[in-house]
Amino acid sequence: MIDLIKNYSTMGRRIKKSVIRELLSLTSKPGLISFAGGLPSGELFPVDQLQDITNQLFKDKPEVILQYGATEGYMPLREEIVRLMQNKGYDITIENILITSASQQGIDMTAKLFVDLSDPVFIELPSYPGGIGSLASCGAHFVGIPIDDEGIRTDFLEEKLKTMSKDGEHYKLIYVIPDFQNPSGVTMSLKRRERLVELSHIYNFLVIEDTPYRDLRYEGEAMPSLFQLTEPSNVISLHSFSKVLVPGFRLGWICAHPSIIKKLAVFKQSIDLCTPYFNQAIAAEYLRRDLLQEHIDEILPVYKAKRDVMLNSLSEFMPDEITWTHPEGGLFLWVNLPEHMDAEKFFYEAINRKVAYVTGSAFHFDGSGGNHMRLNFSYPTEEEIRIGIKRLADLLKEKL
């Protein structure tokens, strides 16, 4: 047998498996309560509406929905997304929109378009592993920027920019999740958003804004997106139907300057030719019937109730040494353990006690963050949340 490792490409050798995807294979044990995945609640999927739309499309246009399509996306879906975003205050046209196979493809294509080997790339600490993986596969040299309860530390970023600019280092972009950040659940404040886009002008770098959770707000005031705060050429905004409709469609879109959209479309041609028209046509009709906001309005109180149960259970069962974030929306919260503790060391003990989480190190490109864990509250039931937090708290009390 040949030495396959020797024959892998540079990218093939750099790419790493997803820790979270690996963990999900462990969470199928009977009776195990999983806080590990970022899964929406399957009970909330609008099955009847989607079935009705699918039947109608098969009757009216099977030759369209079962065929190849334009790389940029199914035109009716692009038009509906423009209408959706314009109603939310975005100044865009159809030329700003490219349909993707979920926002993960958007991250991956953007990384391939802009990142060369060893390019410095700014990233939040902690951050989404899928974003880390896509950027790392292109050879990014990460420069971590810590976050606090207002989001990314723009003062820390500015100091890095000053030093790197003075030293002539060739940085290009920053990747951020401003709304209900994955994994922390923190939302970037308006002041930090305005400063971030201001710095992008001063120091000439691109902002990649990943916003899959933006519509899942349970309290507080909505913030303008980074795309809305500056020129379209400065921000690439990534969106997804996975968290607000169904993840099985694998549908998302990129909102960016038309010149960037045209270049990304060329990349997409060599990746998958086009996102499946079948899925796009269903989503387009769903939007045309104005069903999406109705669906979001139905799921928001359910997720808010689950979040509240998790927060209340943490307050009731966790020892005083443990703290956590209070997300205003999204699907996750972030648990902080004392510095001497490593959540990875007792992960399998938690599995044996039939409760699962994701270790903090999975969200740090440098392997740090061991004294943290991410918990998801959207997928388990309220009863499971309470039982699972009690199991986890009992384990942590022993480890303390």
Side-chain angles (χ1 to χ4, degrees), residues 85 90 207 209 211 225 227 235-239 253-256:
M85 296 188 73
Y90 287 78
V207 179
E209 172 187 44
T211 66
S225 72
F227 186 90
V235 177
I236 296 178
S237 192
L238 309 177
H239 302 257
W253 69 95
I254 299 174
C255 182

Side-chain angles (χ1 to χ4, degrees), residues 111-306:
K112 288 181 170 65
L113 179 59
F114 288 102
V115 179
D116 288 318
L117 182 63
S118 299
D119 275 346
V121 170
F122 300 107
I123 194 166
E124 295 165 307
L125 273 177
S127 188
Y128 167 55
I132 295 172
S134 289
L135 291 161
S137 70
C138 296
H141 170 67
F142 290 118
V143 180
I145 309 297
I147 64 172
D148 60 19
D149 57 4
E150 288 189 63
I152 193 165
R153 289 277 305 275
T154 48
D155 58 333
F156 195 95
L157 172 63
E158 186 171 6
E159 287 303 313
K160 287 285 186 182
L161 286 164
K162 286 178 180 178
T163 301
M164 294 174 72
S165 180
K166 182 179 179 181
D167 293 343
E169 290 197 53
H170 186 54
Y171 52 83
K172 290 182 178 177
L173 59 87
I174 186 170
Y175 170 73
V176 293
I177 308 169
D179 300 294
F180 322 122
Q181 197 244 15
N182 181 3
S184 69
V186 167
T187 295
M188 194 184 301
S189 68
L190 179 58
K191 181 180 178 181
R192 296 271 178 92
R193 291 170 192 246
E194 291 173 339
R195 186 56 180 161
L196 177 57
V197 297
E198 186 178 20
L199 289 172
S200 76
H201 285 274
I202 296 171
Y203 290 96
N204 189 33
F205 62 88
L206 186 68
V207 179
I208 312 300
E209 172 187 44
D210 197 4
T211 66
Y213 318 103
R214 182 170 172 79
D215 289 322
L216 299 178
R217 174 172 284 279
Y218 317 129
E219 62 180 70
E221 294 295 323
M223 302 285 179
S225 72
L226 298 173
F227 186 90
Q228 291 174 299
L229 289 173
T230 187
E231 300 170 12
S233 58
N234 279 54
V235 177
I236 296 178
S237 192
L238 309 177
H239 302 257
S240 177
F241 286 114
S242 293
K243 308 305 184 185
V244 296
L245 187 53
V246 290
F249 277 177
R250 309 310 300 133
L251 273 179
W253 69 95
I254 299 174
C255 182
H257 190 275
S259 63
I260 296 175
I261 293 296
K262 289 177 182 177
K263 197 71 174 177
L264 287 169
V266 175
F267 264 84
K268 186 170 169 61
Q269 288 171 5
S270 65
I271 295 172
D272 63 1
L273 300 180
C274 64
T275 298
Y277 258 37
F278 182 68
N279 300 350
Q280 292 189 65
I282 297 172
E285 181 62 16
Y286 194 82
L287 293 180
R288 191 191 70 79
R289 296 184 186 185
D290 290 322
L291 295 174
L292 181 61
Q293 190 56 52
E294 288 183 17
H295 179 62
I296 292 173
D297 290 342
E298 289 177 3
I299 65 178
L300 286 181
V302 178
Y303 287 164
K304 179 183 184 299
K306 290 185 175 188

Side-chain angles (χ1 to χ4, degrees), residues 20-77:
I20 296 176
R21 304 309 299 180
E22 293 292 316
L23 289 178
L24 289 178
S25 66
L26 298 172
T27 60
S28 58
K29 292 184 177 182
L32 186 139
I33 296 172
S34 177
F35 301 135
L39 282 64
S41 176
E43 298 174 353
L44 299 176
F45 294 157
V47 175
D48 292 340
Q49 293 172 337
L50 295 176
Q51 188 172 34
D52 178 64
I53 289 171
T54 303
N55 291 338
Q56 191 65 46
L57 288 171
F58 269 120
K59 186 182 299 183
D60 294 344
K61 51 178 76 173
E63 73 287 351
V64 174
I65 65 174
L66 299 177
Q67 188 57 274
Y68 286 115
T71 300
E72 291 80 2
Y74 181 57
M75 184 61 74
L77 178 57

